[in-house]
Amino acid sequence: MFDLYAIGNNIPFGVLVADIKGEIHYQNQSCQHILNTEHTDKKFIQEILPGSIIIKVIKEGQFEISTYNETALLNLPIITGNLGMILFFPNDIYHELLSKSPKVIDLKQELEAIMNLNGELVTITDANGIVLRVSNACEQILGVKEYDFIGRSAPDMEKSGVIKPSSTKYVIENKRKITMNQVTKSGRRLIVHAHPIFKDDGTLHKVINISKDVTEIENLQKKLEETKSVLDYYHQELSILKKKDQEMIYKSKAMERVYELACRVADVDATIFIHGETGVGKEVLARTIHNLSNRKNAPFVKINCGAIPDSIIESELFGYAKGTFTGANKDGKKGLALAAHEGTLFLDEIGELPFSVQAKLLQLLQEKRFTPLGETKVVEVDVRFIAATNRNLEEMVREGKFREDLYYRLYVVPITIPPLSKRKEDIPFLVSHFLEIYSQKYKQYKTIDKEIIEFFTDYEWKGNVRELQNTMERLVLTIPAQHIELRHLPKRLFLSPSRQIRGMGKNINLKQEVEQFEKQLIIHALETSSTMREASKKLGVDASTISRKVRRYKINVAKLQFLV
């Protein structure tokens, strides 16, 4: 410690020493400047550097790297005295040190060798299409020197004709890989395979393009014919995806097929029949179809057949003349069918429609005309129909609860939305979407731990997307911490039957399931207790047992906010 005090203020980076309780023993001037603590008497790391991991590092004896604003933090355990040291490096110094590491130098050399190994053109761009690296085949194939290529924008190069079309631009817009034919400014023909690289949170990180020059290949014509069919498909996909509605959030192939079908039928006036469990997003899909159609500037009118009392649903749907019945609007009412004129009428929960109203709805579907209550004059409307239900209408027809002729009139273009349990790959993207929506709505900007994403992906959402959405809104509103962790989740999620017997019907490991459940109980007890002894009393075991199991399950006690 003497040497550290003697030389600390002459070191060009920040130095801080703290003990296992978080009490600060030393800060040099650079550290005080970074943390703005020159005129403070705060003595604990939690007060001046919230979220510090130095206590965890001291306990575990392993160094870790973290960040603070634009500064890289190297957290080091000091072997004696239960102390830890934090070194504060500005990012430019940190990256310079990292670039001089023998391992980093070896990796760079290996990457360079791989990129230039087969003579093909390899380019790597960032998420905005800016070229970061290019193989040495650049000048030979494109006629552009390597140093002139790096730093340029792929969309801009497409506009200037260096390459066209831009595979990078397509990947950035559609977040998917593609194989396409390209032509360079010098007239050379390339077949390019473009691949997106994603971060852990699902956002685009980089795009890698591997291009093969096929100009001189004798069978080029055959390959171009094969490629043409692929290109035709992607051109069709592009024309569809350009219409993409922002409300549709998906990654799974199952939902991609649903969306593709919705795009194909959006501009035709055929009746759409949407089926799916409660909460899967039937109304979202209906609105998407409307917004993709040529009726998007006309009204989208929703009528919930299960929410309106049977006694008034006919008058709500078809309207009525003035003075038709006591208590009615004295001027009459035009009804929702007429309100949707030239637009879309969405019949939600169609299975709940009273049998007595079904015949009149059938007439509206078949003839696009109806007679309001108390009127003799027929009203004609131009309406596109979309119906949705979570019930089995075919079974209701057999039971005599739903008209067979109406069922077949509705069942023209059926679209089934799979439950969330069948498209788990959508869950991380939905979580990210809802987190952004509610953080902005309530001005409470939160981040979410990777463990929660994994937990949510494994969880069986009986209420589907609606349940997940409500859970995310509740977490943003009720969790005071800026970073939402697994320990913040409601206890009911851990104790729900779907969680406890997950994997039933597959090969499950009873021992692993029991251990996982025991671990969650211990974590919950520790979070709600002020001491280890209190936690052990809640669980009905000795404190030594809790200590042993904490070590066994590698529970990160440093992150749990209680006094050990």
Side-chain angles (χ1 to χ4, degrees):
M1 290 299 293
F2 176 81
D3 290 340
L4 185 60
Y5 276 98
I7 66 174
N9 290 329
N10 294 314
I11 297 175
F13 49 82
V15 180
L16 183 148
V17 177
D19 61 24
I20 197 168
K21 295 181 179 179
E23 185 175 359
I24 299 170
H25 290 249
Y26 173 74
Q27 297 180 71
N28 69 354
Q29 291 178 355
S30 294
C31 175
Q32 291 175 346
H33 179 70
I34 293 170
L35 297 177
N36 195 25
T37 57
E38 294 96 330
H39 306 293
T40 181
D41 57 354
K42 295 178 180 178
K43 297 181 179 179
F44 288 88
I45 191 73
Q46 297 90 338
E47 296 177 310
I48 65 172
L49 190 59
S52 171
I53 59 173
I54 190 62
I55 296 176
K56 171 178 175 289
V57 167
I58 296 171
K59 290 183 178 181
E60 296 180 352
Q62 299 289 333
F63 81 89
E64 287 192 29
I65 295 173
S66 58
T67 59
Y68 173 76
N69 294 337
E70 299 296 324
T71 305
L73 277 57
L74 179 59
N75 300 266
L76 299 166
I78 299 177
I79 298 175
T80 58
N82 277 335
L83 297 174
M85 179 184 295
I86 306 176
L87 304 181
F88 296 73
F89 294 100
N91 277 340
D92 55 346
I93 296 178
Y94 174 73
H95 288 301
E96 183 178 351
L97 292 173
L98 191 63
S99 67
K100 294 179 180 179
S101 163
K103 289 186 177 180
V104 173
I105 293 173
D106 286 345
L107 286 173
K108 286 183 177 179
Q109 292 174 345
E110 290 173 4
L111 176 61
E112 198 71 28
I114 291 171
M115 288 188 69
N116 299 309
L117 192 62
N118 55 12
E120 295 181 348
L121 175 63
V122 181
T123 61
I124 302 175
T125 77
D126 63 16
N128 297 314
I130 305 300
V131 178
L132 303 175
R133 297 184 67 91
V134 62
S135 64
N136 55 20
C138 175
E139 184 173 356
Q140 176 187 350
I141 294 177
L142 297 178
V144 180
K145 292 186 181 297
E146 182 179 341
Y147 58 81
D148 288 332
F149 200 76
I150 293 176
R152 297 187 65 180
S153 164
D156 289 345
M157 284 189 288
E158 181 189 51
K159 290 180 181 178
S160 61
V162 176
I163 51 171
K164 59 181 181 181
S166 171
S167 55
T168 299
K169 180 180 175 182
Y170 180 90
V171 171
I172 291 173
E173 290 177 347
N174 298 278
K175 308 297 187 294
R176 57 187 292 183
K177 65 181 181 180
I178 186 175
T179 298
M180 65 163 55
N181 184 254
Q182 283 184 340
V183 180
T184 71
K185 197 170 186 176
S186 60
R188 304 194 72 83
R189 295 182 178 276
L190 310 176
I191 290 180
V192 58
H193 303 277
H195 303 265
I197 305 298
F198 296 99
K199 297 179 183 179
D200 290 341
D201 61 359
T203 57
L204 185 65
H205 182 46
K206 286 183 172 64
V207 178
I208 298 178
N209 295 273
I210 303 173
S211 306
K212 184 175 182 64
D213 187 352
V214 295
T215 309
E216 309 301 334
I217 299 177
E218 291 182 358
N219 61 351
L220 175 61
Q221 190 59 45
K222 180 181 177 181
K223 288 183 178 291
L224 287 176
E225 289 299 324
E226 294 174 353
T227 305
K228 185 178 182 301
S229 63
V230 177
L231 285 173
D232 289 342
Y233 169 76
Y234 282 121
H235 282 313
Q236 184 180 14
E237 292 297 298
L238 275 171
S239 66
I240 291 172
L241 293 176
K242 282 178 181 177
K243 302 177 178 179
K244 185 172 182 181
D245 186 89
Q246 295 302 312
E247 290 183 313
M248 291 288 289
I249 305 296
Y250 64 87
K251 180 68 175 176
S252 64
K253 290 291 184 183
M255 282 304 293
E256 185 177 349
R257 288 190 290 270
V258 168
Y259 183 73
E260 287 174 353
L261 179 56
C263 290
R264 297 185 197 288
V265 301
D267 275 337
V268 296
D269 275 345
T271 301
I272 307 296
F273 181 83
I274 303 174
H275 184 266
E277 294 180 4
T278 298
V280 294
K282 296 187 288 294
E283 182 178 347
V284 171
L285 181 60
R287 288 185 181 275
T288 298
I289 293 172
H290 172 76
N291 292 334
L292 291 172
S293 73
N294 51 21
R295 296 176 178 266
K296 62 183 177 182
N297 295 322
F300 176 90
V301 178
K302 172 189 173 182
I303 179 167
N304 190 324
C305 302
I308 302 175
D310 293 359
S311 58
I312 64 170
I313 191 167
E314 183 176 359
S315 62
E316 289 294 311
L317 182 56
F318 300 109
Y320 52 84
K322 60 181 180 180
T324 301
F325 48 85
T326 304
N329 190 316
K330 64 178 182 178
D331 297 321
K333 186 173 184 179
K334 68 178 183 179
L336 298 175
L338 185 56
H341 181 59
E342 296 184 342
T344 300
L345 182 62
F346 177 47
L347 302 163
D348 197 15
E349 302 300 341
I350 189 67
E352 308 297 328
L353 189 70
F355 200 86
S356 59
V357 184
Q358 292 178 20
K360 197 164 184 178
L361 177 61
L362 178 62
Q363 180 193 12
L364 176 62
L365 286 164
Q366 290 177 331
E367 304 174 9
K368 298 290 181 71
R369 59 174 62 188
F370 64 92
T371 305
L373 295 178
E375 290 275 10
T376 56
K377 184 180 179 181
V378 174
V379 176
E380 294 189 358
V381 288
D382 175 18
V383 175
R384 199 268 180 84
F385 299 96
I386 301 178
T389 185
N390 61 354
R391 301 186 64 177
N392 187 335
L393 290 194
E394 196 171 355
E395 184 177 329
M396 292 179 65
V397 169
R398 288 194 297 268
E399 295 173 351
K401 297 179 180 178
F402 200 87
R403 290 181 64 106
E404 184 175 16
D405 49 3
L406 177 58
Y407 169 71
Y408 287 115
R409 192 66 188 81
L410 292 169
Y411 201 79
V412 179
V413 180
I415 301 179
T416 298
I417 303 179
L420 208 51
S421 60
K422 301 296 184 184
R423 47 186 176 107
K424 289 182 176 291
E425 57 266 53
D426 289 341
I427 292 175
F429 295 90
L430 289 166
V431 169
S432 177
H433 173 70
F434 293 138
L435 182 65
E436 181 180 359
I437 290 293
Y438 293 120
S439 291
Q440 292 180 358
K441 179 178 179 179
Y442 298 115
K443 307 300 181 186
Q444 298 188 31
Y445 298 97
K446 304 293 178 73
T447 57
I448 195 161
D449 198 86
K450 184 179 178 182
E451 286 187 340
I452 293 185
I453 304 293
E454 295 171 352
F455 180 90
F456 280 179
T457 303
D458 187 48
Y459 186 76
E460 185 177 355
W461 298 96
K462 291 293 187 182
N464 292 291
V465 179
R466 185 180 296 121
E467 183 186 359
L468 174 60
Q469 180 177 0
N470 292 341
T471 299
M472 288 303 303
E473 183 175 15
R474 186 161 54 251
L475 288 175
V476 170
L477 281 173
T478 61
I479 302 304
Q482 191 272 334
H483 186 65
I484 304 173
E485 300 179 359
L486 194 63
R487 60 193 179 90
H488 293 130
L489 295 184
K491 186 177 180 181
R492 64 173 183 80
L493 294 181
F494 295 103
L495 302 180
S496 66
S498 61
R499 173 67 181 171
Q500 294 180 43
I501 61 173
R502 72 187 191 281
M504 193 63 73
K506 305 175 183 177
N507 294 327
I508 62 172
N509 187 305
L510 179 61
K511 181 180 178 182
Q512 290 179 359
E513 293 295 316
V514 171
E515 288 178 346
Q516 180 66 20
F517 184 62
E518 183 179 53
K519 178 181 177 180
Q520 296 300 335
L521 287 178
I522 293 173
I523 290 174
H524 181 72
L526 291 173
E527 289 175 337
T528 56
S529 304
S530 57
T531 65
M532 187 81 79
R533 188 177 300 278
E534 182 183 342
S536 65
K537 287 182 179 180
K538 288 182 178 180
L539 295 173
V541 296
D542 294 333
S544 59
T545 301
I546 294 291
S547 299
R548 185 175 68 253
K549 290 186 180 291
V550 164
R551 292 192 297 271
R552 177 185 176 186
Y553 294 135
K554 298 180 181 179
I555 296 173
N556 196 337
V557 179
K559 285 188 175 181
L560 303 179
Q561 300 175 354
F562 73 99
L563 182 61
V564 180

